[in-house]
């Protein structure tokens, strides 16, 4: 799951060093906190959150494969 | 250069059959869709062996490989495979290029990536409720590819022929609801749909003069209403 988020994030932004992913694994839910360079947050959120929604949908598939739910926070 | 044309129920099946006949892998051939088989017809594809053993130099092949779209197609396919792998989904990706004459006598190319896998549950997840996840996958793929090729590539992603099946079921729904409107004389409001799905419904009922269709509502909530024709 983390590999998917990492892959998407790194391919959406230019500043790779600033990409950080924190993972908190619960019993049923996994929570990710994704942060990128402040001037690049728009690239992972998109107009009216369209990119963020797409990321969450795909992360949802990856989570469902492991019978879990996932939460992705973008800051 | 060896080339065969094969028809089957779907594009993916035709490709599969052609590959089996040629004894080649997907990366050894160029695939051209001659008929996508969308109007209930069989799909027809031409598969050409790209790197034939008998020819030492890789000859420029067919229309597909020769076009500028070949590079985009490969990038798109690779990215989609990398995404699927990280979602823990085992599937085959087959790129096919469809050409339709454009408005100014030029040729418009559409790249469709067909995703197929044996795991029905995984394919269902990929499609999501009413194709929502498939839309997200297609959008994100276009975004990722566009960052590599500096333009919006207009790639279509289909999973297990979902788009075609969805079109058929929408057309069926449209006709059944139109029939009900005719019988009751009362308008019926359908559930909210995406723009291209509403288009399918409008088109399916365009010829029917006993009713007419209109879209109402805004954004995510936009839906079609079928009215009885004005007397």
């Amino acid at each position: 799951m983390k590999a998917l988020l990492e892959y998407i994030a790194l391919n959406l932004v230019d500043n790779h060093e600033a990409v950080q992913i924190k993972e908190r694994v619960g019993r049923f839910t996994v929570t990710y906190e994704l942060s990128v360079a402040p001037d690049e947050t728009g690239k992972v959120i998109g107009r009216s959150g369209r990119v963020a929604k797409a990321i969450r949908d795909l992360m949802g598939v990856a989570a469902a494969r492991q019978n879990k739910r996932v939460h992705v926070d973008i800051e | 250069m060896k080339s065969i044309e094969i028809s089957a129920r779907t594009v993916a099946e035709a490709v599969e059959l052609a590959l089996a006949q040629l004894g080649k892998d997907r990366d050894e051939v160029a695939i051209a869709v001659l008929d996508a088989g969308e109007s209930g017809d069989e799909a027809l594809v031409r598969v050409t062996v790209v790197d034939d053993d008998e020819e030492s130099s890789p000859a420029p092949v067919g229309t597909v490989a020769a076009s500028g779209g070949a590079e985009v197609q490969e990038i798109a396919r690779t990215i989609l495979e990398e995404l699927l792998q990280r979602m823990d989904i085992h599937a085959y990706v087959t790129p096919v290029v469809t050409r339709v004459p454009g408005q100014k006598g030029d040729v418009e190319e559409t790249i469709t990536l067909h995703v197929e896998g044996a795991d029905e549950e995984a394919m269902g997840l990929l499609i999501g409720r009413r194709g929502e996840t498939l839309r997200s996958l297609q959008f994100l793929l276009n975004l990722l590819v566009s960052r590599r090729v500096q333009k919006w590539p207009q790639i279509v992603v289909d999973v297990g022929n979902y788009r075609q099946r969805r079109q058929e079921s929408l057309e069926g729904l449209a006709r059944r609801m139109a029939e009900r409107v005719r019988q009751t004389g009362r308008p019926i409001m359908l559930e909210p749909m995406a723009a291209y799905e509403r288009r399918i419904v409008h088109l399916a009922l365009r010829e029917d003069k006993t009713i007419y269709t209109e879209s109402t509502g805004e954004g995510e909530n936009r839906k079609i209403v079928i009215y009885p024709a004005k007397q």
Side-chain angles (χ1 to χ4, degrees):
Chain A
M1 254 192 282
K2 192 178 179 184
L4 177 67
L5 186 58
E6 204 166 52
Y7 177 85
I8 296 171
L10 288 176
N11 280 290
L12 284 178
V13 301
D14 295 316
N15 186 345
H16 290 182
E17 282 74 41
V19 174
Q20 276 181 23
I21 298 171
K22 279 188 211 148
E23 183 184 48
R24 282 201 311 273
V25 182
R27 215 168 128 207
F28 303 109
T29 310
V30 187
T31 306
Y32 290 98
E33 279 172 38
L34 170 67
S35 62
V36 300
D39 59 324
E40 291 197 296
T41 45
K43 292 180 182 172
V44 288
I45 292 173
R47 210 185 308 145
S48 24
R50 206 168 162 205
V51 180
K53 182 193 181 298
I55 293 174
R56 290 189 178 115
D57 280 354
L58 297 198
M59 287 298 286
V61 174
R65 296 290 286 161
Q66 301 177 16
N67 297 312
K68 294 211 168 191
R69 299 179 72 88
V70 69
H71 209 87
V72 182
D73 290 330
I74 300 168
E75 33 202 68
Chain B
M1 200 177 317
K2 212 170 172 188
S3 177
I4 59 169
E5 289 180 12
I6 279 206
S7 64
R9 200 172 52 84
T10 67
V11 167
E13 274 179 23
V15 169
E16 205 58 59
L17 283 168
L19 291 175
Q21 285 202 10
L22 291 165
K24 295 285 179 188
D25 281 329
R26 276 156 216 256
D27 53 0
E28 296 172 302
V29 299
I31 297 162
V33 176
L34 306 174
D35 185 343
E38 266 154 19
S39 46
D41 303 335
E42 296 228 299
L44 179 66
V45 300
R46 181 191 296 133
V47 176
T48 309
V49 179
V50 178
D51 198 0
D52 219 328
D53 294 337
E54 292 140 40
E55 288 170 292
S56 49
S57 62
V61 203
T63 41
V64 176
S67 74
E71 192 201 356
V72 178
Q73 184 185 314
E74 267 321 297
I75 291 170
R77 176 202 178 155
T78 306
I79 293 177
L80 182 54
E81 283 174 345
E82 286 172 346
L83 287 171
L84 291 172
Q85 188 196 333
R86 285 163 179 78
M87 280 187 257
D88 192 25
I89 286 183
H90 301 275
Y92 297 101
V93 178
T94 314
V96 293
V97 179
T98 347
R99 287 194 184 74
V100 289
Q103 289 177 338
K104 302 175 208 87
D106 53 345
V107 178
E108 278 178 31
E109 274 191 2
T110 311
I111 299 172
T112 304
L113 297 178
H114 290 270
V115 178
E116 284 179 288
D119 186 342
E120 289 292 328
E121 196 192 317
M123 296 302 111
L125 280 175
L126 223 41
I127 293 166
R129 214 171 79 91
R130 279 203 245 125
E132 190 86 345
T133 309
L134 180 55
R135 259 197 295 286
S136 284
L137 177 62
Q138 177 173 309
F139 171 69
L140 200 64
L141 179 73
N142 275 284
L143 187 59
L144 293 174
V145 174
S146 74
R147 278 184 56 86
R148 305 254 182 106
V149 300
Q150 321 297 332
K151 61 167 183 179
W152 193 254
Q154 299 280 18
I155 293 155
V156 177
V157 181
D158 198 358
V159 174
N161 232 11
Y162 169 79
R163 291 189 186 281
Q164 192 181 324
R165 282 188 285 130
R166 176 72 176 157
Q167 172 167 356
E168 284 163 8
S169 86
L170 281 173
E171 286 167 350
L173 173 81
R175 282 190 290 269
R176 284 194 305 280
M177 292 302 121
E179 178 59 34
R180 200 184 288 175
V181 170
R182 229 185 336 268
Q183 283 176 0
T184 62
R186 289 200 190 133
I188 288 182
M189 188 179 273
L190 304 183
E191 24 171 6
M193 289 173 199
Y196 77 93
E197 295 192 334
R198 292 197 306 272
R199 184 169 176 273
I200 291 169
V201 174
H202 285 305
L203 287 177
L205 299 180
R206 196 172 49 174
E207 303 291 310
D208 189 339
K209 298 301 173 214
T210 64
I211 49 100
Y212 69 99
T213 57
E214 261 175 22
S215 290
T216 169
E218 294 298 320
E220 293 282 288
N221 217 14
R222 201 157 164 80
K223 48 197 150 194
I224 287 181
V225 185
I226 307 175
Y227 297 95
K230 291 169 188 141
Q231 297 299 320

